[in-house]
């Protein structure tokens, strides 16, 4: 099975360095313009998004007219009460400090989702894919998948996150960055 993992285009949250997982933002004007300059080939595959507006808009710009499905299990991690806030806004908040210190996978942001729960959700969804798939999703989702598929690379999740509009083509032989 070939898997094409593409991160959605830039949003206001990306540009302002805000935590954004469950907030359903559209692409920014700049994000949409940057996507229009990319030229992805359209492989014969299933087309799928997380169902979030930014992922759907990216799919429609990169692969106009291609029918696609959605699967909410490929949504970004839920940052709970830290959604749409930056490190600068939160750096003195005791709840935030408690969340970012210690075990980042087990710690749960208030009203949010732990890294472990997020990983379990994403990998369970990945396990259901049986055919060549183009998946337009989120940086964290792509990072979880790549870390699981290529553990010998020794990269952590943040090192796997592609820039907006970019991603990876995964084949039986390995992976390559796209575009």
């Amino acid at each position: 099975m070939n898997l094409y993992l593409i991160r959605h285009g830039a949003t206001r949250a990306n540009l302002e360095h805000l935590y954004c997982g469950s907030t359903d933002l559209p692409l920014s004007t700049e994000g949409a313009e940057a996507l229009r300059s990319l030229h992805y080939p359209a492989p014969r595959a299933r087309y799928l998004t997380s169902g979030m507006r930014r992922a759907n808009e990216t799919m429609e710009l990169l692969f106009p007219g291609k029918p696609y499905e959605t699967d909410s299990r490929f949504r970004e991690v839920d940052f709970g009460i830290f959604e749409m806030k930056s490190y600068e806004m939160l750096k003195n908040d005791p709840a935030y400090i408690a969340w970012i210190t210690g075990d980042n996978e087990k710690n749960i942001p208030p009203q949010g989702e732990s890294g472990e729960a997020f990983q379990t959700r994403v990998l369970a969804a990945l396990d259901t894919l049986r055919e060549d798939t183009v998946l337009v999703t989120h940086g964290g989702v792509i990072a979880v998948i790549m870390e699981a598929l290529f553990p010998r690379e020794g990269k952590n999740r943040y090192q796997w996150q592609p820039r907006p509009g970019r991603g990876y083509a995964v084949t039986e032989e390995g992976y390559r960055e796209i575009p």
Side-chain angles (χ1 to χ4, degrees):
M1 175 181 81
N2 296 316
L3 180 61
Y4 305 90
L5 300 167
I6 302 170
R7 184 178 181 183
H8 63 78
T11 66
R12 177 178 69 85
N14 298 122
L15 300 173
E16 295 177 16
H17 306 287
L18 305 176
Y19 288 102
C20 180
S22 61
T23 305
D24 199 13
L25 292 181
L27 296 174
S28 66
T29 302
E30 301 89 341
E33 281 304 312
L35 290 174
R36 286 184 183 96
S37 70
L38 299 176
H39 302 285
Y40 282 99
R44 181 173 294 170
R46 175 185 185 195
Y47 287 76
L48 183 65
T49 77
S50 67
M52 301 292 285
R53 184 173 173 187
R54 57 195 181 266
N56 294 348
E57 289 176 357
T58 298
M59 177 69 80
E60 291 161 7
L61 285 168
L62 293 178
F63 305 101
K66 277 281 188 197
Y68 61 91
E69 303 166 56
T70 65
D71 185 334
S72 63
R73 296 174 299 171
F74 289 112
R75 288 180 173 216
E76 185 61 273
V77 68
D78 183 345
F79 293 108
I81 66 170
F82 306 134
E83 279 283 322
M84 300 305 292
K85 295 179 181 163
S86 69
Y87 169 80
E88 285 301 316
M89 298 163 93
L90 295 166
K91 67 184 179 185
N92 297 316
D93 181 329
Y96 178 72
I97 294 166
W99 175 59
I100 63 169
T101 56
D103 189 337
N104 235 5
E105 294 304 304
K106 293 186 187 311
N107 289 353
I108 303 170
Q111 301 172 28
E113 180 179 33
S114 72
E116 284 181 342
F118 172 58
Q119 179 178 13
T120 298
R121 170 172 55 84
V122 169
L123 295 180
L126 177 67
D127 195 44
T128 66
L129 300 181
R130 300 283 180 252
E131 60 193 297
D132 290 358
T133 302
V134 173
L135 174 60
V136 177
T137 188
H138 310 271
V141 172
I142 293 171
V144 163
I145 292 170
M146 294 300 289
E147 185 180 43
L149 294 178
F150 301 100
R152 289 190 170 162
E153 294 278 326
K155 294 180 180 180
N156 66 44
R157 276 193 206 155
Y158 301 103
Q159 293 170 309
W160 280 116
Q161 284 192 17
R163 294 186 330 264
R166 306 299 199 270
Y168 300 97
V170 178
T171 65
E172 291 178 19
E173 293 79 40
Y175 72 91
R176 64 179 170 79
E177 291 184 33
I178 53 173

